[in-house]
Amino acid sequence: MSDVRTAKPRFDLSGFAVAPELAADAHVKISALQDVVGQMVREAKVLGRTVPLGGGYADEVGKFMAQYGIGAEGSAVEALTAFGRELEALKNRIEKALARYTRQDEQAAADVDCVGG
């Protein structure tokens, strides 16, 4: 029996496949999710406006909200924007997989000889 840690996978799983009948639906749903993420970015940018809430603790809360909204590393806008880019990349992968499927399907159809039909 082979050692699991050294066994090589039997299949190349680095590719991406999508069932053609699900591709359009997935694309639409991802686009809708992108719209929601865009709205969340706009709302997070509103948080980024420094609101004078007073002094002391209220001032700290206002600064935190501003930093959380549009601050540099770890801000809501940064995270949501990165997520939006990932969604776009996923849509592109679905489009490429569907185009590859369509090309292969058309090639297979062209290779079929129908005689006497």
Side-chain angles (χ1 to χ4, degrees):
M1 187 157 114
S2 68
D3 186 344
V4 174
R5 290 171 286 158
T6 60
K8 293 185 180 182
R10 288 184 267 164
F11 305 105
D12 177 16
L13 300 176
S14 63
F16 182 79
V18 63
E21 61 274 4
L22 300 177
D25 186 48
H27 199 276
V28 167
K29 288 181 180 181
I30 293 170
S31 294
L33 182 55
Q34 282 180 304
D35 292 342
V36 171
V37 170
Q39 179 62 34
M40 292 172 72
V41 167
R42 288 187 291 280
E43 290 173 6
K45 286 182 177 180
V46 170
L47 283 177
R49 297 184 189 134
T50 303
V51 179
L53 297 175
Y57 181 71
D59 184 49
E60 289 179 36
V61 169
K63 287 179 183 177
F64 171 80
M65 288 175 53
Q67 183 66 24
Y68 175 75
I70 61 171
E73 190 174 338
S75 73
V77 170
E78 178 190 43
L80 289 168
T81 301
F83 182 54
R85 284 193 297 269
E86 290 295 324
L87 290 173
E88 188 63 31
L90 179 58
K91 280 178 31 180
N92 289 335
R93 290 174 65 195
I94 289 171
E95 290 167 3
K96 287 178 184 176
L98 187 56
R100 184 172 41 248
Y101 173 84
T102 301
R103 283 192 308 273
Q104 290 173 347
D105 192 46
E106 289 171 352
Q107 181 62 43
D111 291 343
V112 173
D113 289 329
C114 293
V115 179

